[in-house]
Amino acid sequence: MPSPLKIWHPFTNSKLDPAPIEIERAEGVWLYAKDGRKIIDAVSSWWVNIHGHANPRIAAAIAEQAGKMEHVILAGFTHEPAEELAARLRKWVAPELTHLFFSDDGSTAVEVALKLAVQHFSNTGRPEKRQIVALQHGYHGDTAGAMSVSDDSPFTDPFRTMRYAVHRVHSAYCYRCPVGLRRETCHIECVGQLETLLEERGDNIAAVIVEPLLQAAGGMIIHPLEFLQRVREACTKYDALLIADEVLTGFGRTGKMFACDLAGIAPDLMCLSKGITGGFLPMGVTLCSDRVETAFRSENRLHTFYHGHSYTGNALACAAANASLQIFDDEPVFGRITAIAEITSERLAQLKDFASVGDIRQMGTIGAIELRADDAGYLSAMRPKLYQFFLERGVLLRPLGNVIYVLPPYVISEAELNRVYDVILDAIQTVF
């Protein structure tokens, strides 16, 4: 008999990392392990869960849809859950965004956006505009195209030859300012590198891709509103499409439904995933402007967007997304978001004066503490120590190297959120 198959877990080294914890069930913010432990999911299970685990409204919507139809090919067909989702998103996204394309997850939503941008210019007689600009510290996914526009990191290093070349420009990382200034007195000079590049190479650049206002995997780096506004202005001036990767920032994480709303800008393409289904099922959506889509509406068959995924527009995922958006309509979701933001602000203020704390950052429901470290970055030796410290105290936090962050489901209670920050305070006081 062959040996049993063993699960290969993501972002895990089976020799160095502890054995995985088996979870039997989950409810609200709590994970219930087979060994009897209760663990607060303070990172929303990789940022996907917004209304709590086992949310009964979303679960019921999926069950009802499963009894009607689980999936149908979306090439040449459509169905009510997909049409309903398009109508529901219309309420929330910028009016400039007029079309949506379904895919499977965040990485594929980014792949779609990149390909749409390049083919848009090809279809309109400007095939030379095919280069992409991305930001330092960016992360857009693990498929080849998404990995290419992500910054160099331990995630991408083994695959250097698989990544295509992109232009990479400064991020507004205020704590480690790329141009050596201080936020209190700067005028967003860090965006100047992008503006100069577009002025010099705009005839060859199809798009600029950003994580609007918050670079998550790069260390929960928060940008000033003016940075995104200036990026939008530069893209418009030099006719480059702006791609907003709202895979994490969408669906209320930053305090508004989308991060672009905070800056008062509309991108040409927007990528959504993670919270779109409330954390129940994978789904990717790429939205675009009428200008982008019109280039594919042609008598020329070669102008077709020849791209698709087997589970594009999956009816069960659409049902989950519709139920999640209905919760935004029926329940005080943004009141919950405001309460999380207020507690986060109060608790972060208590941490800023510790010698081991280099910077504290907050945007909406997201709080981050960057600890001082000689080996700053994802592979910092602090990470495994902190991760184990938190788990032993019943809290799931996955530090990004020397950056601790909290990103909870919106249903977390005041007591539960304070418990999370109590454990972080304990770590800062006793570990470092």
Side-chain angles (χ1 to χ4, degrees), residues 103-113 140 143 146 283-284 286 307 309:
S103 61
D104 295 346
D105 56 23
S107 295
T108 58
V110 167
E111 298 280 354
V112 168
H140 299 281
T143 52
M283 168 175 277
T286 305
H307 181 104
H309 301 264

Side-chain angles (χ1 to χ4, degrees), residues 150 217 332:
S150 301

Side-chain angles (χ1 to χ4, degrees), residues 23-257:
I23 301 300
E24 290 189 318
R25 65 185 183 92
E27 183 178 0
V29 301
W30 291 96
L31 307 176
Y32 295 86
K34 188 175 183 179
D35 62 12
R37 279 185 287 174
K38 283 178 58 179
I39 301 169
I40 295 179
D41 184 355
V43 296
S44 301
S45 284
W46 255 342
W47 321 339
V48 301
N49 193 290
I50 56 178
H51 303 303
H53 291 283
N55 182 282
R57 297 183 64 177
I58 302 176
I62 294 170
E64 181 181 358
Q65 182 59 44
K68 298 177 181 177
M69 179 186 70
E70 77 299 336
H71 181 64
V72 66
I73 183 174
L74 211 66
F77 291 83
T78 191
H79 52 74
E80 183 180 357
E83 297 292 341
E84 180 184 343
L85 180 52
R88 287 184 177 276
L89 285 172
R90 174 69 287 164
K91 171 184 175 179
W92 294 104
V93 302
E96 291 87 348
L97 298 171
T98 57
H99 292 76
L100 66 84
F101 193 98
F102 288 109
S103 61
D104 295 346
D105 56 23
S107 295
T108 58
V110 167
E111 298 280 354
V112 168
L114 294 169
K115 291 175 72 173
L116 284 176
V118 171
Q119 190 176 345
H120 163 84
F121 286 109
S122 177
N123 285 0
T124 54
R126 291 183 286 172
E128 70 282 357
K129 281 179 73 71
R130 59 188 307 105
Q131 298 173 10
I132 306 295
V133 183
L135 300 185
Q136 293 171 347
H137 309 293
Y139 173 80
H140 299 281
D142 293 330
T143 52
M147 188 172 60
S148 295
V149 293
S150 301
D151 203 357
D152 299 337
S153 73
F155 308 159
T156 63
D157 187 61
F159 314 110
R160 291 185 298 274
T161 59
M162 295 175 61
R163 299 166 70 204
Y164 57 74
V166 303
H167 300 284
R168 207 167 304 282
V169 296
H170 292 324
S171 159
Y173 191 174
C174 296
Y175 177 59
R176 302 179 186 275
C177 177
V179 292
L181 300 176
R182 295 182 60 83
R183 178 67 191 103
E184 296 82 1
T185 55
C186 83
H187 297 90
I188 319 295
E189 284 86 349
C190 53
V191 82
Q193 190 178 33
L194 170 63
E195 293 169 335
T196 299
L197 175 65
L198 288 173
E199 182 179 12
E200 295 175 351
R201 302 290 298 274
D203 289 343
N204 301 114
I205 291 172
V208 177
I209 184 167
V210 301
E211 297 159 273
L213 300 181
L214 175 73
Q215 293 182 295
M220 294 296 164
I221 299 165
I222 294 173
H223 296 165
L225 299 183
E226 298 91 335
F227 179 79
L228 181 57
Q229 292 164 348
R230 291 269 296 276
V231 171
R232 172 69 277 182
E233 291 168 5
C235 288
T236 300
K237 181 176 181 179
Y238 296 106
D239 196 21
L241 299 175
L242 175 59
I243 302 171
D245 177 354
E246 294 246 21
V247 168
L248 163 64
T249 53
F251 303 99
R253 289 294 184 192
T254 65
K256 293 285 189 180
M257 196 62 158

Side-chain angles (χ1 to χ4, degrees), residues 186-384:
C186 83
H187 297 90
I188 319 295
E189 284 86 349
C190 53
V191 82
Q193 190 178 33
L194 170 63
E195 293 169 335
T196 299
L197 175 65
L198 288 173
E199 182 179 12
E200 295 175 351
R201 302 290 298 274
D203 289 343
N204 301 114
I205 291 172
V208 177
I209 184 167
V210 301
E211 297 159 273
L213 300 181
L214 175 73
Q215 293 182 295
M220 294 296 164
I221 299 165
I222 294 173
H223 296 165
L225 299 183
E226 298 91 335
F227 179 79
L228 181 57
Q229 292 164 348
R230 291 269 296 276
V231 171
R232 172 69 277 182
E233 291 168 5
C235 288
T236 300
K237 181 176 181 179
Y238 296 106
D239 196 21
L241 299 175
L242 175 59
I243 302 171
D245 177 354
E246 294 246 21
V247 168
L248 163 64
T249 53
F251 303 99
R253 289 294 184 192
T254 65
K256 293 285 189 180
M257 196 62 158
F258 301 107
C260 288
D261 299 340
L262 281 172
I265 67 102
D268 301 291
L269 298 114
M270 178 186 284
C271 306
L272 304 177
S273 188
K274 291 197 182 292
I276 192 169
T277 66
F280 272 69
L281 289 167
M283 168 175 277
V285 167
T286 305
L287 299 114
C288 71
S289 66
D290 194 61
R291 175 202 171 185
V292 172
E293 192 274 340
T294 299
F296 297 81
R297 204 182 309 160
S298 169
E299 296 292 331
N300 186 344
R301 277 283 181 191
L302 294 178
H303 288 177
T304 303
F305 187 49
Y306 288 116
H307 181 104
H309 301 264
S310 299
Y311 283 92
T312 290
N314 175 259
L316 299 178
C318 287
N322 287 325
S324 177
L325 289 173
Q326 187 65 49
I327 290 171
F328 276 96
D329 288 339
D330 296 345
E331 299 183 20
V333 177
F334 281 97
R336 296 166 185 160
I337 288 169
T338 298
I340 292 170
E342 290 175 351
I343 295 169
T344 298
S345 178
E346 293 171 4
R347 297 307 304 264
L348 288 178
Q350 299 168 6
L351 303 175
K352 64 183 178 65
D353 293 328
F354 282 91
S356 58
V357 174
D359 191 35
I360 59 170
R361 302 189 278 271
Q362 182 189 2
M363 179 165 284
T365 65
I366 302 155
I369 306 104
E370 181 164 346
L371 300 175
R372 302 183 192 278
D374 294 332
D375 61 346
Y378 188 80
L379 296 182
S380 172
M382 289 184 176
R383 185 196 173 282

